[in-house]
CSV table of all heavy atoms in Angstrom, one decimal:
chain,number,residue,atom,x,y,z
N,14,MET,N,-71.3,14.0,-31.3
N,14,MET,CA,-70.1,13.3,-31.0
N,14,MET,C,-69.1,14.3,-30.5
N,14,MET,O,-68.9,15.4,-31.0
N,14,MET,CB,-69.5,12.7,-32.3
N,14,MET,CG,-68.7,11.4,-32.1
N,14,MET,SD,-69.5,10.1,-31.2
N,14,MET,CE,-70.7,9.5,-32.5
N,15,SER,N,-68.4,13.9,-29.4
N,15,SER,CA,-67.4,14.7,-28.8
N,15,SER,C,-66.0,14.1,-28.9
N,15,SER,O,-65.9,12.9,-29.1
N,15,SER,CB,-67.7,14.9,-27.3
N,15,SER,OG,-68.9,15.6,-27.1
N,16,ARG,N,-65.0,15.0,-28.7
N,16,ARG,CA,-63.7,14.5,-28.8
N,16,ARG,C,-62.8,15.2,-27.7
N,16,ARG,O,-63.0,16.3,-27.5
N,16,ARG,CB,-63.1,14.8,-30.2
N,16,ARG,CG,-61.7,14.4,-30.4
N,16,ARG,CD,-61.2,14.9,-31.7
N,16,ARG,NE,-59.9,14.3,-32.1
N,16,ARG,CZ,-58.7,14.8,-31.7
N,16,ARG,NH1,-58.7,15.9,-30.9
N,16,ARG,NH2,-57.6,14.2,-32.0
N,17,VAL,N,-62.0,14.4,-27.0
N,17,VAL,CA,-61.1,14.9,-26.1
N,17,VAL,C,-59.7,14.4,-26.5
N,17,VAL,O,-59.5,13.4,-27.1
N,17,VAL,CB,-61.3,14.6,-24.6
N,17,VAL,CG1,-62.5,15.3,-24.1
N,17,VAL,CG2,-61.4,13.1,-24.4
N,18,GLU,N,-58.7,15.3,-26.2
N,18,GLU,CA,-57.3,14.8,-26.4
N,18,GLU,C,-56.6,15.1,-25.1
N,18,GLU,O,-56.5,16.3,-24.7
N,18,GLU,CB,-56.7,15.5,-27.6
N,18,GLU,CG,-55.3,14.9,-27.9
N,18,GLU,CD,-54.8,15.2,-29.3
N,18,GLU,OE1,-55.7,15.6,-30.2
N,18,GLU,OE2,-53.6,15.1,-29.5
N,19,TRP,N,-56.1,14.1,-24.4
N,19,TRP,CA,-55.4,14.2,-23.1
N,19,TRP,C,-54.0,13.8,-23.2
N,19,TRP,O,-53.6,12.9,-24.0
N,19,TRP,CB,-56.2,13.4,-22.1
N,19,TRP,CG,-57.5,13.9,-21.7
N,19,TRP,CD1,-57.9,15.2,-21.7
N,19,TRP,CD2,-58.6,13.1,-21.2
N,19,TRP,NE1,-59.2,15.2,-21.2
N,19,TRP,CE2,-59.7,14.0,-21.0
N,19,TRP,CE3,-58.8,11.7,-21.1
N,19,TRP,CZ2,-60.9,13.5,-20.5
N,19,TRP,CZ3,-60.0,11.3,-20.6
N,19,TRP,CH2,-61.1,12.2,-20.3
N,20,THR,N,-53.2,14.4,-22.3
N,20,THR,CA,-51.8,13.8,-22.1
N,20,THR,C,-51.9,12.9,-20.9
N,20,THR,O,-52.5,13.2,-19.9
N,20,THR,CB,-50.9,15.0,-21.7
N,20,THR,OG1,-50.9,15.9,-22.8
N,20,THR,CG2,-49.5,14.5,-21.5
N,21,ILE,N,-51.4,11.7,-21.1
N,21,ILE,CA,-51.5,10.6,-20.2
N,21,ILE,C,-50.1,10.3,-19.5
N,21,ILE,O,-49.1,10.2,-20.2
N,21,ILE,CB,-51.9,9.3,-20.9
N,21,ILE,CG1,-53.3,9.5,-21.6
N,21,ILE,CG2,-52.0,8.2,-19.9
N,21,ILE,CD1,-54.4,9.8,-20.7
N,22,ASP,N,-50.1,10.3,-18.2
N,22,ASP,CA,-48.9,9.9,-17.5
N,22,ASP,C,-48.9,8.4,-17.1
N,22,ASP,O,-50.0,7.9,-16.8
N,22,ASP,CB,-48.7,10.8,-16.3
N,22,ASP,CG,-47.3,10.8,-15.7
N,22,ASP,OD1,-46.4,10.5,-16.5
N,22,ASP,OD2,-47.2,11.0,-14.5
N,23,GLY,N,-47.8,7.8,-17.1
N,23,GLY,CA,-47.7,6.4,-16.6
N,23,GLY,C,-47.5,5.4,-17.7
N,23,GLY,O,-47.4,4.2,-17.3
N,24,MET,N,-47.4,5.8,-18.9
N,24,MET,CA,-47.2,4.8,-20.0
N,24,MET,C,-45.6,4.7,-20.2
N,24,MET,O,-45.0,5.7,-20.5
N,24,MET,CB,-47.8,5.3,-21.3
N,24,MET,CG,-49.3,5.3,-21.2
N,24,MET,SD,-50.1,5.4,-22.9
N,24,MET,CE,-49.6,7.1,-23.4
N,25,THR,N,-45.1,3.5,-20.1
N,25,THR,CA,-43.7,3.3,-20.3
N,25,THR,C,-43.3,2.5,-21.5
N,25,THR,O,-42.1,2.5,-21.9
N,25,THR,CB,-43.1,2.7,-19.0
N,25,THR,OG1,-43.8,1.5,-18.8
N,25,THR,CG2,-43.2,3.6,-17.8
N,26,CYS,N,-44.2,1.8,-22.0
N,26,CYS,CA,-43.9,1.0,-23.2
N,26,CYS,C,-45.1,0.8,-24.1
N,26,CYS,O,-46.2,1.2,-23.7
N,26,CYS,CB,-43.3,-0.4,-22.8
N,26,CYS,SG,-44.5,-1.5,-22.0
N,27,SER,N,-44.9,0.1,-25.2
N,27,SER,CA,-46.0,0.0,-26.2
N,27,SER,C,-47.1,-1.0,-25.6
N,27,SER,O,-48.3,-0.9,-26.0
N,27,SER,CB,-45.6,-0.5,-27.5
N,27,SER,OG,-44.9,-1.8,-27.3
N,28,GLY,N,-46.7,-1.8,-24.6
N,28,GLY,CA,-47.7,-2.6,-23.9
N,28,GLY,C,-48.7,-1.7,-23.2
N,28,GLY,O,-49.9,-2.0,-23.2
N,29,CYS,N,-48.2,-0.7,-22.5
N,29,CYS,CA,-49.1,0.2,-21.8
N,29,CYS,C,-50.0,0.9,-22.7
N,29,CYS,O,-51.2,1.0,-22.5
N,29,CYS,CB,-48.2,1.3,-21.1
N,29,CYS,SG,-47.1,0.7,-19.8
N,30,SER,N,-49.5,1.5,-23.8
N,30,SER,CA,-50.4,2.2,-24.7
N,30,SER,C,-51.4,1.3,-25.4
N,30,SER,O,-52.6,1.8,-25.5
N,30,SER,CB,-49.5,3.0,-25.8
N,30,SER,OG,-48.7,2.2,-26.4
N,31,SER,N,-51.0,0.1,-25.7
N,31,SER,CA,-52.1,-0.7,-26.3
N,31,SER,C,-53.1,-1.2,-25.3
N,31,SER,O,-54.3,-1.3,-25.6
N,31,SER,CB,-51.5,-1.9,-27.1
N,31,SER,OG,-50.4,-2.4,-26.6
N,32,ARG,N,-52.6,-1.4,-24.1
N,32,ARG,CA,-53.6,-1.7,-23.0
N,32,ARG,C,-54.6,-0.6,-22.8
N,32,ARG,O,-55.8,-0.8,-22.7
N,32,ARG,CB,-52.8,-2.0,-21.7
N,32,ARG,CG,-53.7,-2.6,-20.6
N,32,ARG,CD,-52.9,-3.2,-19.5
N,32,ARG,NE,-52.0,-2.3,-18.8
N,32,ARG,CZ,-52.4,-1.5,-17.8
N,32,ARG,NH1,-53.6,-1.6,-17.4
N,32,ARG,NH2,-51.5,-0.7,-17.3
N,33,LEU,N,-54.1,0.7,-22.7
N,33,LEU,CA,-54.9,1.8,-22.5
N,33,LEU,C,-55.9,2.0,-23.6
N,33,LEU,O,-57.1,2.2,-23.4
N,33,LEU,CB,-54.1,3.1,-22.3
N,33,LEU,CG,-54.9,4.4,-22.1
N,33,LEU,CD1,-55.9,4.3,-20.9
N,33,LEU,CD2,-54.0,5.6,-22.0
N,34,LYS,N,-55.4,1.8,-24.9
N,34,LYS,CA,-56.3,1.9,-26.0
N,34,LYS,C,-57.5,0.9,-25.9
N,34,LYS,O,-58.6,1.2,-26.2
N,34,LYS,CB,-55.5,1.6,-27.3
N,34,LYS,CG,-56.3,1.7,-28.6
N,34,LYS,CD,-55.5,1.6,-29.8
N,34,LYS,CE,-56.4,1.5,-31.0
N,34,LYS,NZ,-55.7,1.7,-32.3
N,35,ARG,N,-57.1,-0.4,-25.5
N,35,ARG,CA,-58.1,-1.4,-25.4
N,35,ARG,C,-59.1,-1.0,-24.3
N,35,ARG,O,-60.3,-1.2,-24.5
N,35,ARG,CB,-57.4,-2.7,-25.0
N,35,ARG,CG,-58.1,-3.9,-25.6
N,35,ARG,CD,-57.2,-5.2,-25.6
N,35,ARG,NE,-56.4,-5.3,-24.4
N,35,ARG,CZ,-55.0,-5.4,-24.5
N,35,ARG,NH1,-54.4,-5.3,-25.6
N,35,ARG,NH2,-54.3,-5.5,-23.4
N,36,VAL,N,-58.6,-0.5,-23.2
N,36,VAL,CA,-59.5,-0.1,-22.1
N,36,VAL,C,-60.5,0.9,-22.6
N,36,VAL,O,-61.7,0.8,-22.3
N,36,VAL,CB,-58.7,0.4,-20.9
N,36,VAL,CG1,-59.6,1.2,-19.9
N,36,VAL,CG2,-58.0,-0.7,-20.2
N,37,LEU,N,-60.0,1.9,-23.3
N,37,LEU,CA,-60.8,3.0,-23.8
N,37,LEU,C,-61.9,2.5,-24.8
N,37,LEU,O,-63.1,2.9,-24.7
N,37,LEU,CB,-60.0,4.1,-24.4
N,37,LEU,CG,-59.1,4.9,-23.5
N,37,LEU,CD1,-58.1,5.8,-24.2
N,37,LEU,CD2,-59.9,5.8,-22.5
N,38,GLN,N,-61.4,1.7,-25.7
N,38,GLN,CA,-62.3,1.2,-26.7
N,38,GLN,C,-63.5,0.3,-26.2
N,38,GLN,O,-64.5,0.2,-26.8
N,38,GLN,CB,-61.6,0.4,-27.8
N,38,GLN,CG,-60.8,1.3,-28.7
N,38,GLN,CD,-59.9,0.6,-29.7
N,38,GLN,OE1,-59.5,-0.6,-29.4
N,38,GLN,NE2,-59.6,1.2,-30.8
N,39,GLN,N,-63.2,-0.3,-25.0
N,39,GLN,CA,-64.3,-1.1,-24.4
N,39,GLN,C,-65.3,-0.3,-23.6
N,39,GLN,O,-66.3,-0.9,-23.2
N,39,GLN,CB,-63.6,-2.2,-23.5
N,39,GLN,CG,-63.0,-3.3,-24.3
N,39,GLN,CD,-62.1,-4.2,-23.5
N,39,GLN,OE1,-61.9,-3.9,-22.3
N,39,GLN,NE2,-61.6,-5.2,-24.1
N,40,ILE,N,-65.1,1.0,-23.4
N,40,ILE,CA,-66.1,1.8,-22.7
N,40,ILE,C,-67.3,2.0,-23.6
N,40,ILE,O,-67.2,2.5,-24.7
N,40,ILE,CB,-65.4,3.1,-22.2
N,40,ILE,CG1,-64.2,2.8,-21.4
N,40,ILE,CG2,-66.5,4.0,-21.5
N,40,ILE,CD1,-63.4,4.1,-21.0
N,41,GLU,N,-68.4,1.8,-23.0
N,41,GLU,CA,-69.7,2.0,-23.6
N,41,GLU,C,-69.8,3.5,-24.0
N,41,GLU,O,-69.6,4.4,-23.2
N,41,GLU,CB,-70.8,1.6,-22.6
N,41,GLU,CG,-72.2,2.2,-22.9
N,41,GLU,CD,-73.1,1.2,-23.6
N,41,GLU,OE1,-72.8,0.0,-23.3
N,41,GLU,OE2,-74.0,1.6,-24.3
N,42,GLY,N,-70.1,3.8,-25.3
N,42,GLY,CA,-70.2,5.2,-25.7
N,42,GLY,C,-68.9,5.7,-26.4
N,42,GLY,O,-69.0,6.7,-27.1
N,43,VAL,N,-67.8,5.0,-26.3
N,43,VAL,CA,-66.6,5.4,-27.0
N,43,VAL,C,-66.6,4.8,-28.4
N,43,VAL,O,-66.8,3.6,-28.5
N,43,VAL,CB,-65.3,4.9,-26.2
N,43,VAL,CG1,-64.1,5.1,-27.0
N,43,VAL,CG2,-65.2,5.7,-24.9
N,44,THR,N,-66.5,5.7,-29.4
N,44,THR,CA,-66.5,5.2,-30.7
N,44,THR,C,-65.1,4.9,-31.3
N,44,THR,O,-65.0,4.0,-32.1
N,44,THR,CB,-67.3,6.2,-31.7
N,44,THR,OG1,-66.7,7.5,-31.5
N,44,THR,CG2,-68.7,6.3,-31.3
N,45,SER,N,-64.1,5.7,-30.8
N,45,SER,CA,-62.8,5.4,-31.2
N,45,SER,C,-61.8,6.0,-30.3
N,45,SER,O,-62.1,7.0,-29.6
N,45,SER,CB,-62.5,5.8,-32.7
N,45,SER,OG,-62.3,7.2,-32.7
N,46,ALA,N,-60.6,5.3,-30.2
N,46,ALA,CA,-59.6,5.8,-29.3
N,46,ALA,C,-58.2,5.6,-29.9
N,46,ALA,O,-58.0,4.5,-30.4
N,46,ALA,CB,-59.7,5.1,-27.9
N,47,GLU,N,-57.4,6.6,-29.9
N,47,GLU,CA,-56.0,6.5,-30.4
N,47,GLU,C,-55.1,6.9,-29.3
N,47,GLU,O,-55.3,7.9,-28.6
N,47,GLU,CB,-55.8,7.4,-31.6
N,47,GLU,CG,-56.4,6.9,-32.9
N,47,GLU,CD,-56.0,5.4,-33.2
N,47,GLU,OE1,-54.8,5.1,-33.0
N,47,GLU,OE2,-56.8,4.7,-33.7
N,48,VAL,N,-54.1,6.0,-29.0
N,48,VAL,CA,-53.2,6.3,-27.9
N,48,VAL,C,-51.8,6.3,-28.6
N,48,VAL,O,-51.4,5.3,-29.2
N,48,VAL,CB,-53.3,5.3,-26.8
N,48,VAL,CG1,-52.3,5.6,-25.7
N,48,VAL,CG2,-54.7,5.3,-26.2
N,49,THR,N,-51.0,7.4,-28.4
N,49,THR,CA,-49.7,7.5,-28.9
N,49,THR,C,-48.7,7.5,-27.8
N,49,THR,O,-48.7,8.4,-27.0
N,49,THR,CB,-49.5,8.7,-29.8
N,49,THR,OG1,-50.6,8.7,-30.7
N,49,THR,CG2,-48.2,8.7,-30.6
N,50,LEU,N,-47.8,6.5,-27.7
N,50,LEU,CA,-46.9,6.4,-26.6
N,50,LEU,C,-45.9,7.6,-26.6
N,50,LEU,O,-45.6,8.2,-25.6
N,50,LEU,CB,-46.1,5.1,-26.7
N,50,LEU,CG,-45.0,4.8,-25.7
N,50,LEU,CD1,-45.5,4.7,-24.3
N,50,LEU,CD2,-44.2,3.5,-26.1
N,51,GLU,N,-45.3,7.9,-27.8
N,51,GLU,CA,-44.2,8.9,-27.9
N,51,GLU,C,-44.7,10.2,-27.4
N,51,GLU,O,-43.9,10.9,-26.8
N,51,GLU,CB,-43.8,9.0,-29.4
N,51,GLU,CG,-43.1,7.7,-29.9
N,51,GLU,CD,-44.0,6.5,-30.1
N,51,GLU,OE1,-45.2,6.7,-30.3
N,51,GLU,OE2,-43.5,5.4,-30.2
N,52,THR,N,-45.9,10.6,-27.8
N,52,THR,CA,-46.3,12.0,-27.4
N,52,THR,C,-47.2,11.9,-26.1
N,52,THR,O,-47.7,13.0,-25.7
N,52,THR,CB,-47.2,12.6,-28.5
N,52,THR,OG1,-48.3,11.7,-28.8
N,52,THR,CG2,-46.3,12.8,-29.8
N,53,ARG,N,-47.5,10.7,-25.6
N,53,ARG,CA,-48.3,10.5,-24.4
N,53,ARG,C,-49.7,11.1,-24.6
N,53,ARG,O,-50.4,11.5,-23.7
N,53,ARG,CB,-47.7,11.2,-23.2
N,53,ARG,CG,-46.3,10.7,-22.9
N,53,ARG,CD,-45.8,11.0,-21.5
N,53,ARG,NE,-45.8,12.5,-21.3
N,53,ARG,CZ,-45.7,13.0,-20.1
N,53,ARG,NH1,-45.6,12.3,-19.0
N,53,ARG,NH2,-45.6,14.3,-20.0
N,54,GLN,N,-50.2,11.0,-25.9
N,54,GLN,CA,-51.5,11.6,-26.1
N,54,GLN,C,-52.6,10.4,-26.3
N,54,GLN,O,-52.3,9.4,-26.8
N,54,GLN,CB,-51.5,12.3,-27.5
N,54,GLN,CG,-50.6,13.6,-27.5
N,54,GLN,CD,-51.2,14.6,-26.5
N,54,GLN,OE1,-52.3,15.1,-26.7
N,54,GLN,NE2,-50.4,15.0,-25.5
N,55,ALA,N,-53.7,10.7,-25.8
N,55,ALA,CA,-54.9,9.8,-26.0
N,55,ALA,C,-56.0,10.7,-26.6
N,55,ALA,O,-56.4,11.7,-26.0
N,55,ALA,CB,-55.4,9.2,-24.7
N,56,ALA,N,-56.4,10.3,-27.8
N,56,ALA,CA,-57.5,11.0,-28.5
N,56,ALA,C,-58.7,10.1,-28.5
N,56,ALA,O,-58.7,9.0,-28.9
N,56,ALA,CB,-57.1,11.4,-29.9
N,57,ILE,N,-59.8,10.6,-27.9
N,57,ILE,CA,-61.0,9.8,-27.7
N,57,ILE,C,-62.2,10.4,-28.3
N,57,ILE,O,-62.5,11.6,-28.0
N,57,ILE,CB,-61.2,9.6,-26.2
N,57,ILE,CG1,-60.0,9.1,-25.4
N,57,ILE,CG2,-62.4,8.6,-26.0
N,57,ILE,CD1,-60.1,9.3,-23.9
N,58,HIS,N,-62.9,9.7,-29.2
N,58,HIS,CA,-64.2,10.1,-29.7
N,58,HIS,C,-65.3,9.4,-29.0
N,58,HIS,O,-65.2,8.2,-28.8
N,58,HIS,CB,-64.3,9.8,-31.2
N,58,HIS,CG,-63.4,10.7,-32.1
N,58,HIS,ND1,-62.1,10.3,-32.4
N,58,HIS,CD2,-63.7,11.9,-32.7
N,58,HIS,CE1,-61.6,11.3,-33.2
N,58,HIS,NE2,-62.5,12.2,-33.3
N,59,PHE,N,-66.2,10.1,-28.5
N,59,PHE,CA,-67.3,9.5,-27.7
N,59,PHE,C,-68.6,10.2,-27.9
N,59,PHE,O,-68.7,11.3,-28.4
N,59,PHE,CB,-66.9,9.4,-26.2
N,59,PHE,CG,-66.7,10.8,-25.6
N,59,PHE,CD1,-67.8,11.3,-24.9
N,59,PHE,CD2,-65.6,11.5,-25.8
N,59,PHE,CE1,-67.6,12.6,-24.3
N,59,PHE,CE2,-65.4,12.8,-25.2
N,59,PHE,CZ,-66.4,13.3,-24.4
N,60,ASP,N,-69.7,9.5,-27.6
N,60,ASP,CA,-71.0,10.0,-27.6
N,60,ASP,C,-71.4,10.5,-26.2
N,60,ASP,O,-71.5,9.8,-25.3
N,60,ASP,CB,-72.0,8.8,-28.0
N,60,ASP,CG,-73.4,9.2,-28.1
N,60,ASP,OD1,-73.8,10.4,-27.7
N,60,ASP,OD2,-74.2,8.4,-28.6
N,61,GLN,N,-71.5,11.8,-26.2
N,61,GLN,CA,-71.7,12.5,-24.8
N,61,GLN,C,-73.1,12.1,-24.2
N,61,GLN,O,-73.3,12.4,-23.0
N,61,GLN,CB,-71.5,14.0,-24.9
N,61,GLN,CG,-72.5,14.8,-25.7
N,61,GLN,CD,-72.2,14.9,-27.1
N,61,GLN,OE1,-71.6,14.0,-27.7
N,61,GLN,NE2,-72.7,16.0,-27.8
N,62,GLN,N,-74.0,11.5,-25.0
N,62,GLN,CA,-75.2,11.0,-24.4
N,62,GLN,C,-75.0,9.7,-23.6
N,62,GLN,O,-75.9,9.3,-22.8
N,62,GLN,CB,-76.3,10.7,-25.5
N,62,GLN,CG,-76.3,11.7,-26.6
N,62,GLN,CD,-77.4,12.8,-26.4
N,62,GLN,OE1,-78.1,12.8,-25.4
N,62,GLN,NE2,-77.5,13.7,-27.4
N,63,ARG,N,-73.9,9.1,-23.9
N,63,ARG,CA,-73.8,7.7,-23.3
N,63,ARG,C,-72.6,7.7,-22.3
N,63,ARG,O,-72.6,6.8,-21.5
N,63,ARG,CB,-73.5,6.7,-24.4
N,63,ARG,CG,-74.8,6.5,-25.3
N,63,ARG,CD,-74.5,5.8,-26.6
N,63,ARG,NE,-74.2,4.4,-26.4
N,63,ARG,CZ,-73.4,3.7,-27.2
N,63,ARG,NH1,-72.9,4.2,-28.3
N,63,ARG,NH2,-73.2,2.4,-26.9
N,64,VAL,N,-71.7,8.6,-22.4
N,64,VAL,CA,-70.5,8.6,-21.5
N,64,VAL,C,-70.0,10.0,-21.3
N,64,VAL,O,-70.1,10.8,-22.3
N,64,VAL,CB,-69.4,7.6,-22.0
N,64,VAL,CG1,-68.8,8.1,-23.3
N,64,VAL,CG2,-68.4,7.3,-20.9
N,65,ASN,N,-69.5,10.3,-20.2
N,65,ASN,CA,-69.0,11.7,-20.0
N,65,ASN,C,-67.5,11.6,-19.7
N,65,ASN,O,-66.9,10.6,-19.4
N,65,ASN,CB,-69.8,12.5,-18.9
N,65,ASN,CG,-69.8,11.7,-17.6
N,65,ASN,OD1,-68.8,11.1,-17.2
N,65,ASN,ND2,-70.8,11.9,-16.8
N,66,THR,N,-66.9,12.8,-19.7
N,66,THR,CA,-65.4,12.8,-19.5
N,66,THR,C,-65.0,12.4,-18.1
N,66,THR,O,-63.9,11.8,-17.9
N,66,THR,CB,-64.8,14.3,-19.8
N,66,THR,OG1,-65.5,15.2,-18.9
N,66,THR,CG2,-65.0,14.7,-21.2
N,67,ALA,N,-65.9,12.6,-17.1
N,67,ALA,CA,-65.5,12.2,-15.7
N,67,ALA,C,-65.4,10.6,-15.7
N,67,ALA,O,-64.4,10.1,-15.1
N,67,ALA,CB,-66.6,12.6,-14.7
N,68,THR,N,-66.3,10.0,-16.4
N,68,THR,CA,-66.2,8.5,-16.5
N,68,THR,C,-65.0,8.1,-17.2
N,68,THR,O,-64.3,7.1,-16.8
N,68,THR,CB,-67.5,7.9,-17.1
N,68,THR,OG1,-68.6,8.3,-16.4
N,68,THR,CG2,-67.5,6.4,-17.2
N,69,LEU,N,-64.7,8.7,-18.3
N,69,LEU,CA,-63.5,8.4,-19.1
N,69,LEU,C,-62.2,8.5,-18.3
N,69,LEU,O,-61.4,7.6,-18.2
N,69,LEU,CB,-63.4,9.3,-20.3
N,69,LEU,CG,-64.5,9.1,-21.4
N,69,LEU,CD1,-64.3,10.2,-22.5
N,69,LEU,CD2,-64.5,7.7,-22.0
N,70,LYS,N,-62.1,9.6,-17.5
N,70,LYS,CA,-61.0,9.8,-16.7
N,70,LYS,C,-60.9,8.8,-15.6
N,70,LYS,O,-59.8,8.3,-15.3
N,70,LYS,CB,-61.1,11.2,-16.0
N,70,LYS,CG,-60.5,12.3,-16.8
N,70,LYS,CD,-60.5,13.6,-16.0
N,70,LYS,CE,-60.1,14.7,-17.1
N,70,LYS,NZ,-60.3,16.1,-16.5
N,71,GLU,N,-62.0,8.4,-15.0
N,71,GLU,CA,-62.0,7.4,-14.0
N,71,GLU,C,-61.5,6.1,-14.5
N,71,GLU,O,-60.7,5.4,-13.8
N,71,GLU,CB,-63.5,7.2,-13.6
N,71,GLU,CG,-63.9,7.2,-12.2
N,71,GLU,CD,-65.4,7.1,-12.0
N,71,GLU,OE1,-66.0,6.0,-12.3
N,71,GLU,OE2,-65.9,8.2,-11.7
N,72,ARG,N,-61.9,5.7,-15.7
N,72,ARG,CA,-61.5,4.5,-16.3
N,72,ARG,C,-60.0,4.5,-16.6
N,72,ARG,O,-59.3,3.5,-16.5
N,72,ARG,CB,-62.3,4.2,-17.6
N,72,ARG,CG,-63.8,4.0,-17.3
N,72,ARG,CD,-64.1,2.7,-16.5
N,72,ARG,NE,-64.0,1.6,-17.3
N,72,ARG,CZ,-65.0,1.0,-18.0
N,72,ARG,NH1,-66.2,1.6,-18.0
N,72,ARG,NH2,-64.8,0.0,-18.7
N,73,VAL,N,-59.5,5.6,-17.1
N,73,VAL,CA,-58.0,5.7,-17.4
N,73,VAL,C,-57.3,5.6,-16.1
N,73,VAL,O,-56.3,4.8,-16.0
N,73,VAL,CB,-57.7,7.1,-18.0
N,73,VAL,CG1,-56.2,7.4,-18.0
N,73,VAL,CG2,-58.3,7.2,-19.4
N,74,GLU,N,-57.8,6.2,-15.0
N,74,GLU,CA,-57.1,6.1,-13.7
N,74,GLU,C,-57.2,4.7,-13.1
N,74,GLU,O,-56.2,4.3,-12.5
N,74,GLU,CB,-57.6,7.2,-12.8
N,74,GLU,CG,-57.0,8.5,-13.1
N,74,GLU,CD,-57.7,9.8,-12.6
N,74,GLU,OE1,-58.6,9.6,-11.8
N,74,GLU,OE2,-57.3,10.9,-13.1
N,75,SER,N,-58.3,4.1,-13.2
N,75,SER,CA,-58.4,2.7,-12.6
N,75,SER,C,-57.6,1.7,-13.4
N,75,SER,O,-57.2,0.7,-12.9
N,75,SER,CB,-59.8,2.3,-12.4
N,75,SER,OG,-60.5,2.2,-13.6
N,76,ALA,N,-57.2,2.1,-14.7
N,76,ALA,CA,-56.3,1.2,-15.4
N,76,ALA,C,-54.8,1.5,-15.0
N,76,ALA,O,-53.9,0.8,-15.5
N,76,ALA,CB,-56.5,1.4,-16.9
N,77,GLY,N,-54.6,2.5,-14.1
N,77,GLY,CA,-53.3,2.7,-13.6
N,77,GLY,C,-52.5,3.9,-14.2
N,77,GLY,O,-51.3,4.0,-14.1
N,78,PHE,N,-53.2,4.7,-15.0
N,78,PHE,CA,-52.6,5.9,-15.6
N,78,PHE,C,-53.2,7.2,-15.0
N,78,PHE,O,-54.2,7.1,-14.3
N,78,PHE,CB,-52.8,5.8,-17.1
N,78,PHE,CG,-52.4,4.5,-17.8
N,78,PHE,CD1,-53.3,3.6,-18.1
N,78,PHE,CD2,-51.1,4.3,-18.0
N,78,PHE,CE1,-52.9,2.4,-18.7
N,78,PHE,CE2,-50.6,3.1,-18.6
N,78,PHE,CZ,-51.6,2.1,-18.9
N,79,ALA,N,-52.5,8.3,-15.3
N,79,ALA,CA,-53.0,9.5,-14.8
N,79,ALA,C,-53.3,10.5,-16.0
N,79,ALA,O,-52.6,10.5,-17.0
N,79,ALA,CB,-52.0,10.2,-13.9
N,80,VAL,N,-54.4,11.2,-15.9
N,80,VAL,CA,-54.7,12.2,-16.9
N,80,VAL,C,-54.1,13.6,-16.5
N,80,VAL,O,-54.4,14.1,-15.5
N,80,VAL,CB,-56.2,12.4,-17.1
N,80,VAL,CG1,-56.6,13.4,-18.1
N,80,VAL,CG2,-56.8,11.0,-17.4
N,81,LEU,N,-53.2,14.1,-17.4
N,81,LEU,CA,-52.5,15.4,-17.1
N,81,LEU,C,-53.2,16.5,-17.7
N,81,LEU,O,-52.9,17.7,-17.5
N,81,LEU,CB,-51.1,15.3,-17.5
N,81,LEU,CG,-50.2,14.3,-16.9
N,81,LEU,CD1,-48.8,14.4,-17.5
N,81,LEU,CD2,-50.1,14.4,-15.4
N,82,VAL,N,-54.2,16.2,-18.5
N,82,VAL,CA,-55.0,17.2,-19.4
N,82,VAL,C,-54.3,17.6,-20.6
N,82,VAL,O,-53.6,16.8,-21.2
N,82,VAL,CB,-55.5,18.4,-18.6
N,82,VAL,CG1,-56.2,19.4,-19.6
N,82,VAL,CG2,-56.6,18.0,-17.6
Z,216,CU,CU1,-45.7,-0.7,-20.5
């Protein structure tokens, strides 16, 4: 199991953070995702056999947010 913690740009309200959390949780291979609006952090636990960080980033970006690392 792997874990990444990213700073996310583009979240302006709790609607954004819950939408991003939902997007992350629906990705195949993601076991849990926590998104905190105040600190702009997204913590994602995932199975690296089923999904990689490039795909995770892509999904964050296609949801309208940016990964600042
Ligand atoms: Cu919002």
Side-chain angles (χ1 to χ4, degrees):
M14 207 58 71
S15 294
R16 180 183 188 276
V17 287
E18 190 162 338
W19 287 331
T20 302
I21 303 295
D22 195 27
M24 295 193 293
T25 53
C26 70
S27 59
C29 296
S30 52
S31 34
R32 187 165 62 85
L33 178 58
K34 181 177 174 165
R35 215 164 35 239
V36 164
L37 291 170
Q38 285 174 334
Q39 282 168 357
I40 301 171
E41 161 102 27
V43 169
T44 53
S45 75
E47 281 309 320
V48 180
T49 311
L50 176 66
E51 293 72 19
T52 56
R53 303 195 300 167
Q54 295 294 299
I57 310 162
H58 287 90
F59 62 99
D60 182 346
Q61 69 271 28
Q62 318 264 2
R63 294 164 70 205
V64 67
N65 59 32
T66 55
T68 301
L69 294 176
K70 272 186 192 171
E71 230 173 74
R72 297 291 287 270
V73 170
E74 280 160 11
S75 61
F78 305 102
V80 178
L81 300 180
V82 172

